[in-house]
Amino acid sequence: MLPDKERVREVFSLEGQLAIVTGGGTGLGFAMASCFSASGARVVITGRRAEVLETAAQTLGGDVFAEQYDVTDFGAAPGFIAHVEERYGAPTILVNNAGIHVKKTVEDHTLDDFHKILATHVEGAFALTRAAVPALKRRGGGSIVFIASMSSILGLPQVVAYSAAKSAYLGMVRSMAAELGASNIRVNAIAPGWIETPMLHKALDGDPKRRQKILDRTPEQRFGSPEDIGWAAVYLCSPAASFINGVVLPVDGGASIGF
Ligand code: NDP
């Protein structure tokens, strides 16, 4: 049978799903939570700052819930997932989005910088994913998304630790996609290009040359909007993407292929 409008609504909908978005109180996480909610999902947003989360949840409305959780509190991950399951039900979507950024030369990066970046992005995402997988299995499957970066793909100067962390995501995605596909769990990454958020401003303010270089290599000649990432995440988690597993999707206006 050919698809009709009803089928289109169905395959792009997240109705009945429960998503956890780490770092969901701000920036890209907030945009993903808002697009998930508009697509019918209930969403738990997490982060370290309770007041930021509460404000975000109030802004986004009744199906978005604030839960304080620090991804570097690795041992707390199973308890956090149990708490979510008890309060809202078992999740079907996990977005590993929480992140921090350090921009320094190789010589100026300290080992402490390096450890902190890896702890937040790599170990934090691993600990939570590991704890969430049994819950996703209890729901008959689901979708895990890692928010990677252009630094997963390109050689960007002055972000050695961040690049190491975001490149690690790609290996984790491939390994888990290969392992969890049989449990109906898909694992993918989004590699956002340069998107207008406070983190972008922190990285580019005071560096007009870098800003211009990015725009010059982006065929669309603009920075992205957080919503561009939100809709890509909705797609990857929707039934429309049910045969997409283990990929990294650049959402970058063509920056990663620009000449
Ligand atoms: P933000 O700084 O707005 O978001 C980062 C979020 O992560 C915050 O909500 C923060 O909340 C949360 N967070 C940081 N550390 C922890 C922690 N230990 N535990 C729990 N939550 C934490 O920046 P963006 O929205 O730009 O970044 C979101 C993700 O997108 C990051 O992984 C970033 O690397 C990635 N990215 C961003 C790009 C861009 O252009 N903006 C491009 C490519 C990738 P709190 O401080 O309250 O804990």
Side-chain angles (χ1 to χ4, degrees):
M1 211 168 70
L2 290 173
D4 56 16
K5 284 183 180 164
E6 183 50 39
R7 178 76 182 132
V8 172
R9 269 192 289 274
E10 202 179 281
V11 296
F12 288 102
S13 166
L14 299 182
E15 211 66 54
Q17 306 229 33
L18 177 71
I20 299 174
V21 180
T22 66
T26 64
L28 304 189
F30 178 86
M32 286 187 276
S34 121
C35 292
F36 281 164
S37 172
S39 303
R42 292 156 64 242
V43 189
V44 175
I45 54 173
T46 76
R48 292 166 299 182
R49 290 165 297 167
E51 69 287 4
V52 169
L53 293 169
E54 288 300 340
T55 307
Q58 271 165 28
T59 308
L60 291 175
D63 280 337
V64 178
F65 313 104
E67 292 288 346
Q68 201 172 13
Y69 170 68
D70 182 337
V71 294
T72 62
D73 195 357
F74 314 127
F80 173 70
I81 294 293
H83 170 75
V84 167
E85 197 165 352
E86 194 181 297
R87 246 180 139 165
Y88 311 103
T92 55
I93 294 170
L94 170 64
V95 182
N96 289 306
N97 165 76
I100 53 173
H101 194 266
V102 171
K103 186 180 162 205
K104 288 180 185 172
T105 62
V106 174
E107 299 100 304
D108 286 346
H109 261 84
T110 63
L111 274 173
D112 190 46
D113 292 330
F114 204 88
H115 289 149
K116 271 192 187 132
I117 290 270
L118 260 72
T120 302
H121 292 268
V122 181
E123 292 176 81
F126 169 68
L128 191 59
T129 302
R130 179 180 176 278
V133 163
L136 265 67
K137 285 183 175 170
R138 280 194 283 283
R139 286 286 302 263
S143 180
I144 301 171
V145 176
F146 283 74
I147 302 304
S149 155
M150 286 295 105
S151 69
S152 311
I153 302 169
L154 302 171
L156 305 183
Q158 298 191 13
V159 286
V160 60
Y162 186 79
S163 296
K166 293 300 197 184
S167 302
Y169 274 2
L170 305 193
M172 290 164 76
V173 161
R174 284 191 293 266
S175 176
M176 289 195 285
E179 183 178 328
L180 297 172
S183 303
N184 198 31
I185 297 173
R186 297 180 297 106
V187 188
N188 293 294
I190 290 173
W194 285 271
I195 313 291
E196 287 279 3
T197 65
M199 190 183 275
L200 181 77
H201 284 286
K202 196 177 158 211
L204 293 188
D205 288 354
D207 196 345
K209 261 176 78 183
R210 192 164 176 136
R211 185 186 170 83
Q212 197 51 49
K213 190 170 176 183
I214 292 164
L215 291 174
D216 284 347
R217 67 169 299 146
T218 307
E220 288 192 29
Q221 295 190 348
R222 65 170 176 93
F223 296 112
S225 78
E227 223 183 74
D228 291 327
I229 306 305
W231 295 125
V234 167
Y235 169 66
L236 279 182
C237 296
S238 73
S242 68
F243 206 47
I244 297 183
N245 197 10
V247 306
V248 50
L249 175 65
V251 180
D252 66 349
S256 54
I257 53 83
F259 175 64

mmCIF file of all heavy atoms in Angstrom, residues 229-259:
data_model
loop_
_atom_site.group_PDB
_atom_site.id
_atom_site.type_symbol
_atom_site.label_atom_id
_atom_site.label_comp_id
_atom_site.label_asym_id
_atom_site.label_seq_id
_atom_site.Cartn_x
_atom_site.Cartn_y
_atom_site.Cartn_z
ATOM 1 N N ILE A 229 19.171 21.157 14.820
ATOM 2 C CA ILE A 229 19.616 19.935 15.500
ATOM 3 C C ILE A 229 18.410 19.209 16.099
ATOM 4 O O ILE A 229 18.326 17.976 16.066
ATOM 5 C CB ILE A 229 20.642 20.282 16.617
ATOM 6 C CG1 ILE A 229 21.803 21.110 16.039
ATOM 7 C CG2 ILE A 229 21.155 19.014 17.298
ATOM 8 C CD1 ILE A 229 22.529 20.503 14.861
ATOM 9 N N GLY A 230 17.451 19.986 16.606
ATOM 10 C CA GLY A 230 16.244 19.399 17.206
ATOM 11 C C GLY A 230 15.487 18.509 16.228
ATOM 12 O O GLY A 230 15.139 17.366 16.541
ATOM 13 N N TRP A 231 15.279 19.019 15.016
ATOM 14 C CA TRP A 231 14.496 18.229 14.045
ATOM 15 C C TRP A 231 15.285 17.014 13.553
ATOM 16 O O TRP A 231 14.707 15.949 13.288
ATOM 17 C CB TRP A 231 14.031 19.097 12.875
ATOM 18 C CG TRP A 231 13.076 20.172 13.300
ATOM 19 C CD1 TRP A 231 13.199 21.501 13.076
ATOM 20 C CD2 TRP A 231 11.852 19.995 14.055
ATOM 21 N NE1 TRP A 231 12.138 22.174 13.643
ATOM 22 C CE2 TRP A 231 11.300 21.282 14.239
ATOM 23 C CE3 TRP A 231 11.186 18.898 14.595
ATOM 24 C CZ2 TRP A 231 10.104 21.490 14.942
ATOM 25 C CZ3 TRP A 231 9.998 19.102 15.290
ATOM 26 C CH2 TRP A 231 9.474 20.380 15.453
ATOM 27 N N ALA A 232 16.604 17.169 13.452
ATOM 28 C CA ALA A 232 17.425 16.008 13.054
ATOM 29 C C ALA A 232 17.321 14.914 14.113
ATOM 30 O O ALA A 232 17.224 13.720 13.787
ATOM 31 C CB ALA A 232 18.880 16.433 12.866
ATOM 32 N N ALA A 233 17.301 15.314 15.379
ATOM 33 C CA ALA A 233 17.186 14.328 16.465
ATOM 34 C C ALA A 233 15.818 13.662 16.444
ATOM 35 O O ALA A 233 15.696 12.448 16.647
ATOM 36 C CB ALA A 233 17.444 15.005 17.819
ATOM 37 N N VAL A 234 14.770 14.456 16.180
ATOM 38 C CA VAL A 234 13.417 13.868 16.074
ATOM 39 C C VAL A 234 13.420 12.811 14.973
ATOM 40 O O VAL A 234 12.942 11.690 15.171
ATOM 41 C CB VAL A 234 12.357 14.956 15.766
ATOM 42 C CG1 VAL A 234 11.037 14.323 15.343
ATOM 43 C CG2 VAL A 234 12.152 15.854 16.977
ATOM 44 N N TYR A 235 13.971 13.171 13.828
ATOM 45 C CA TYR A 235 14.000 12.220 12.711
ATOM 46 C C TYR A 235 14.722 10.928 13.108
ATOM 47 O O TYR A 235 14.184 9.825 12.937
ATOM 48 C CB TYR A 235 14.667 12.862 11.490
ATOM 49 C CG TYR A 235 14.965 11.854 10.412
ATOM 50 C CD1 TYR A 235 13.925 11.211 9.749
ATOM 51 C CD2 TYR A 235 16.274 11.512 10.091
ATOM 52 C CE1 TYR A 235 14.179 10.244 8.783
ATOM 53 C CE2 TYR A 235 16.539 10.557 9.129
ATOM 54 C CZ TYR A 235 15.493 9.920 8.477
ATOM 55 O OH TYR A 235 15.758 8.964 7.540
ATOM 56 N N LEU A 236 15.922 11.071 13.677
ATOM 57 C CA LEU A 236 16.707 9.861 14.009
ATOM 58 C C LEU A 236 15.987 8.971 15.016
ATOM 59 O O LEU A 236 16.193 7.751 15.032
ATOM 60 C CB LEU A 236 18.079 10.249 14.557
ATOM 61 C CG LEU A 236 19.159 10.608 13.534
ATOM 62 C CD1 LEU A 236 20.466 10.915 14.243
ATOM 63 C CD2 LEU A 236 19.366 9.492 12.507
ATOM 64 N N CYS A 237 15.164 9.565 15.875
ATOM 65 C CA CYS A 237 14.475 8.783 16.910
ATOM 66 C C CYS A 237 13.085 8.319 16.462
ATOM 67 O O CYS A 237 12.420 7.584 17.193
ATOM 68 C CB CYS A 237 14.354 9.604 18.199
ATOM 69 S SG CYS A 237 15.951 9.986 18.920
ATOM 70 N N SER A 238 12.660 8.753 15.288
ATOM 71 C CA SER A 238 11.304 8.424 14.832
ATOM 72 C C SER A 238 11.291 7.112 14.053
ATOM 73 O O SER A 238 12.338 6.651 13.575
ATOM 74 C CB SER A 238 10.776 9.552 13.938
ATOM 75 O OG SER A 238 11.427 9.506 12.676
ATOM 76 N N PRO A 239 10.095 6.527 13.873
ATOM 77 C CA PRO A 239 10.015 5.305 13.063
ATOM 78 C C PRO A 239 10.488 5.520 11.623
ATOM 79 O O PRO A 239 10.895 4.575 10.958
ATOM 80 C CB PRO A 239 8.520 4.955 13.097
ATOM 81 C CG PRO A 239 7.986 5.615 14.331
ATOM 82 C CD PRO A 239 8.804 6.868 14.510
ATOM 83 N N ALA A 240 10.479 6.778 11.149
ATOM 84 C CA ALA A 240 10.948 7.048 9.776
ATOM 85 C C ALA A 240 12.412 6.637 9.600
ATOM 86 O O ALA A 240 12.852 6.341 8.495
ATOM 87 C CB ALA A 240 10.778 8.528 9.438
ATOM 88 N N ALA A 241 13.163 6.634 10.704
ATOM 89 C CA ALA A 241 14.599 6.299 10.634
ATOM 90 C C ALA A 241 14.862 4.883 11.136
ATOM 91 O O ALA A 241 15.980 4.574 11.572
ATOM 92 C CB ALA A 241 15.395 7.312 11.452
ATOM 93 N N SER A 242 13.852 4.002 11.045
ATOM 94 C CA SER A 242 13.972 2.708 11.720
ATOM 95 C C SER A 242 15.081 1.804 11.150
ATOM 96 O O SER A 242 15.479 0.848 11.796
ATOM 97 C CB SER A 242 12.642 1.962 11.714
ATOM 98 O OG SER A 242 12.348 1.588 10.394
ATOM 99 N N PHE A 243 15.604 2.136 9.954
ATOM 100 C CA PHE A 243 16.691 1.308 9.406
ATOM 101 C C PHE A 243 18.012 2.087 9.381
ATOM 102 O O PHE A 243 18.935 1.751 8.661
ATOM 103 C CB PHE A 243 16.304 0.820 8.003
ATOM 104 C CG PHE A 243 16.976 -0.478 7.606
ATOM 105 C CD1 PHE A 243 17.010 -1.567 8.458
ATOM 106 C CD2 PHE A 243 17.574 -0.603 6.354
ATOM 107 C CE1 PHE A 243 17.645 -2.757 8.090
ATOM 108 C CE2 PHE A 243 18.203 -1.793 5.974
ATOM 109 C CZ PHE A 243 18.235 -2.869 6.847
ATOM 110 N N ILE A 244 18.075 3.142 10.194
ATOM 111 C CA ILE A 244 19.309 3.943 10.270
ATOM 112 C C ILE A 244 19.990 3.632 11.598
ATOM 113 O O ILE A 244 19.448 3.905 12.664
ATOM 114 C CB ILE A 244 19.007 5.443 10.134
ATOM 115 C CG1 ILE A 244 18.398 5.694 8.742
ATOM 116 C CG2 ILE A 244 20.264 6.269 10.330
ATOM 117 C CD1 ILE A 244 18.107 7.131 8.437
ATOM 118 N N ASN A 245 21.145 3.022 11.505
ATOM 119 C CA ASN A 245 21.815 2.541 12.713
ATOM 120 C C ASN A 245 23.328 2.663 12.543
ATOM 121 O O ASN A 245 23.881 2.246 11.532
ATOM 122 C CB ASN A 245 21.437 1.062 12.936
ATOM 123 C CG ASN A 245 21.731 0.610 14.353
ATOM 124 O OD1 ASN A 245 22.042 1.425 15.231
ATOM 125 N ND2 ASN A 245 21.635 -0.680 14.589
ATOM 126 N N GLY A 246 23.988 3.279 13.533
ATOM 127 C CA GLY A 246 25.446 3.341 13.537
ATOM 128 C C GLY A 246 26.037 4.453 12.685
ATOM 129 O O GLY A 246 27.215 4.422 12.362
ATOM 130 N N VAL A 247 25.230 5.456 12.342
ATOM 131 C CA VAL A 247 25.754 6.519 11.479
ATOM 132 C C VAL A 247 26.068 7.781 12.276
ATOM 133 O O VAL A 247 25.586 7.972 13.388
ATOM 134 C CB VAL A 247 24.763 6.917 10.346
ATOM 135 C CG1 VAL A 247 24.325 5.711 9.543
ATOM 136 C CG2 VAL A 247 23.546 7.675 10.881
ATOM 137 N N VAL A 248 26.882 8.642 11.649
ATOM 138 C CA VAL A 248 27.037 9.994 12.171
ATOM 139 C C VAL A 248 26.461 10.931 11.111
ATOM 140 O O VAL A 248 26.871 10.903 9.953
ATOM 141 C CB VAL A 248 28.500 10.318 12.539
ATOM 142 C CG1 VAL A 248 29.471 9.986 11.432
ATOM 143 C CG2 VAL A 248 28.648 11.789 12.912
ATOM 144 N N LEU A 249 25.480 11.714 11.523
ATOM 145 C CA LEU A 249 24.775 12.613 10.597
ATOM 146 C C LEU A 249 25.275 14.037 10.813
ATOM 147 O O LEU A 249 24.976 14.644 11.849
ATOM 148 C CB LEU A 249 23.261 12.543 10.872
ATOM 149 C CG LEU A 249 22.380 13.512 10.081
ATOM 150 C CD1 LEU A 249 22.407 13.210 8.590
ATOM 151 C CD2 LEU A 249 20.940 13.468 10.602
ATOM 152 N N PRO A 250 26.052 14.575 9.875
ATOM 153 C CA PRO A 250 26.443 15.980 10.031
ATOM 154 C C PRO A 250 25.240 16.878 9.772
ATOM 155 O O PRO A 250 24.512 16.673 8.805
ATOM 156 C CB PRO A 250 27.513 16.199 8.940
ATOM 157 C CG PRO A 250 27.862 14.836 8.426
ATOM 158 C CD PRO A 250 26.635 13.981 8.655
ATOM 159 N N VAL A 251 25.014 17.832 10.667
ATOM 160 C CA VAL A 251 23.947 18.830 10.456
ATOM 161 C C VAL A 251 24.684 20.164 10.512
ATOM 162 O O VAL A 251 24.831 20.773 11.570
ATOM 163 C CB VAL A 251 22.849 18.715 11.532
ATOM 164 C CG1 VAL A 251 21.750 19.753 11.298
ATOM 165 C CG2 VAL A 251 22.240 17.314 11.528
ATOM 166 N N ASP A 252 25.214 20.552 9.368
ATOM 167 C CA ASP A 252 26.277 21.569 9.353
ATOM 168 C C ASP A 252 26.217 22.519 8.171
ATOM 169 O O ASP A 252 27.213 23.212 7.901
ATOM 170 C CB ASP A 252 27.641 20.858 9.372
ATOM 171 C CG ASP A 252 27.889 20.045 8.101
ATOM 172 O OD1 ASP A 252 26.935 19.860 7.310
ATOM 173 O OD2 ASP A 252 29.034 19.595 7.890
ATOM 174 N N GLY A 253 25.097 22.528 7.436
ATOM 175 C CA GLY A 253 25.020 23.424 6.271
ATOM 176 C C GLY A 253 26.082 23.119 5.230
ATOM 177 O O GLY A 253 26.405 23.966 4.401
ATOM 178 N N GLY A 254 26.656 21.905 5.301
ATOM 179 C CA GLY A 254 27.674 21.510 4.319
ATOM 180 C C GLY A 254 29.101 21.851 4.739
ATOM 181 O O GLY A 254 30.046 21.665 3.962
ATOM 182 N N ALA A 255 29.292 22.326 5.989
ATOM 183 C CA ALA A 255 30.642 22.755 6.399
ATOM 184 C C ALA A 255 31.680 21.633 6.298
ATOM 185 O O ALA A 255 32.844 21.879 5.985
ATOM 186 C CB ALA A 255 30.602 23.293 7.828
ATOM 187 N N SER A 256 31.246 20.394 6.557
ATOM 188 C CA SER A 256 32.228 19.299 6.567
ATOM 189 C C SER A 256 32.608 18.854 5.152
ATOM 190 O O SER A 256 33.576 18.096 4.997
ATOM 191 C CB SER A 256 31.721 18.111 7.389
ATOM 192 O OG SER A 256 30.457 17.689 6.940
ATOM 193 N N ILE A 257 31.877 19.305 4.130
ATOM 194 C CA ILE A 257 32.269 18.959 2.759
ATOM 195 C C ILE A 257 32.607 20.211 1.944
ATOM 196 O O ILE A 257 32.942 20.122 0.774
ATOM 197 C CB ILE A 257 31.187 18.121 2.027
ATOM 198 C CG1 ILE A 257 29.807 18.783 2.072
ATOM 199 C CG2 ILE A 257 31.090 16.727 2.615
ATOM 200 C CD1 ILE A 257 29.550 19.827 1.037
ATOM 201 N N GLY A 258 32.526 21.376 2.600
ATOM 202 C CA GLY A 258 32.789 22.634 1.883
ATOM 203 C C GLY A 258 34.250 22.753 1.492
ATOM 204 O O GLY A 258 35.130 22.259 2.217
ATOM 205 N N PHE A 259 34.513 23.374 0.376
ATOM 206 C CA PHE A 259 35.893 23.523 -0.116
ATOM 207 C C PHE A 259 36.468 24.830 0.375
ATOM 208 O O PHE A 259 35.826 25.873 0.227
ATOM 209 C CB PHE A 259 35.892 23.468 -1.644
ATOM 210 C CG PHE A 259 37.237 23.729 -2.245
ATOM 211 C CD1 PHE A 259 38.301 22.856 -2.023
ATOM 212 C CD2 PHE A 259 37.454 24.848 -3.027
ATOM 213 C CE1 PHE A 259 39.545 23.094 -2.581
ATOM 214 C CE2 PHE A 259 38.703 25.080 -3.590
ATOM 215 C CZ PHE A 259 39.746 24.203 -3.360
#
